[in-house]
Amino acid sequence: MHNLEVSLKPGQEICISIKITATNEIEVKDVQRFLSLDEILDKVSTAINIPPQDILSKSRKTNNVFARYIFMYVAVVYYRYSKNKLGEYLKMNHTSATHGVNEFKNLYEQGNAILMPMVRQVQFHFPFKIKA
């Protein structure tokens, strides 16, 4: 028998990934605190020194757009928010959220000179390495 103890405050959630083998052994692969979209936004904002309201704005300034893409990607890929939920939060439709996630992937794969330093700064604020 395996015991796993996790301390949570009221309202906090965690995401646990486990592996159960044929012998009924359970291997905990990942334990990660679930963050709200506000918390994710605050971490991205703090890391790259762009105010949350600029990330949430409709601004087309490159740094604001790239910060928004990073926020979208982290929320969808690492915290498994739906694109519909993300779209509601950003006051856009889910296809715009999908576009943002896809743009992040494309820019990351190209090694974009503006995006990559931002990603390096942001990943120190999360318990995983951001990669597309």
Side-chain angles (χ1 to χ4, degrees):
M1 171 172 255
H2 298 280
N3 293 324
L4 172 65
E5 290 186 35
V6 178
S7 297
L8 295 175
K9 294 179 184 172
Q12 285 184 318
E13 300 176 28
I14 59 169
C15 176
I16 301 175
S17 174
I18 63 171
K19 175 184 171 185
I20 302 175
T21 64
T23 60
N24 290 328
E25 290 182 14
I26 298 176
E27 174 188 343
V28 177
K29 300 187 72 116
D30 184 31
V31 177
Q32 177 176 307
R33 188 169 93 75
F34 186 80
L35 297 180
S36 70
L37 288 170
D38 287 335
E39 290 171 311
I40 297 168
L41 178 65
D42 285 343
K43 284 179 174 275
V44 171
S45 171
T46 299
I48 54 183
N49 201 29
I50 294 177
Q53 62 269 22
D54 290 352
I55 295 172
L56 294 174
S57 75
K58 303 280 187 208
S59 169
R60 294 178 63 167
K61 289 182 178 178
T62 302
N63 285 349
N64 295 347
V65 170
F66 285 6
R68 197 172 312 123
Y69 289 166
I70 292 168
F71 167 68
M72 292 172 163
Y73 187 80
V74 168
V76 169
V77 173
Y78 293 100
Y79 289 96
R80 303 200 191 286
Y81 278 95
S82 72
K83 293 174 185 117
N84 284 332
K85 180 77 172 171
L86 184 61
E88 287 174 20
Y89 183 83
L90 294 169
K91 296 181 176 71
M92 59 176 62
N93 83 37
H94 76 280
T95 58
S96 297
T98 299
H99 174 75
V101 170
N102 291 338
E103 280 299 300
F104 174 86
K105 288 178 189 176
N106 292 336
L107 292 163
Y108 185 94
E109 288 170 2
Q110 293 168 9
N112 182 279
I114 297 170
L115 180 78
M116 298 312 287
M118 294 172 81
V119 169
R120 283 191 290 275
Q121 288 174 289
V122 168
Q123 69 189 12
F124 290 114
H125 294 261
F126 291 97
F128 45 76
K129 185 174 191 301
I130 299 172
K131 55 187 175 197

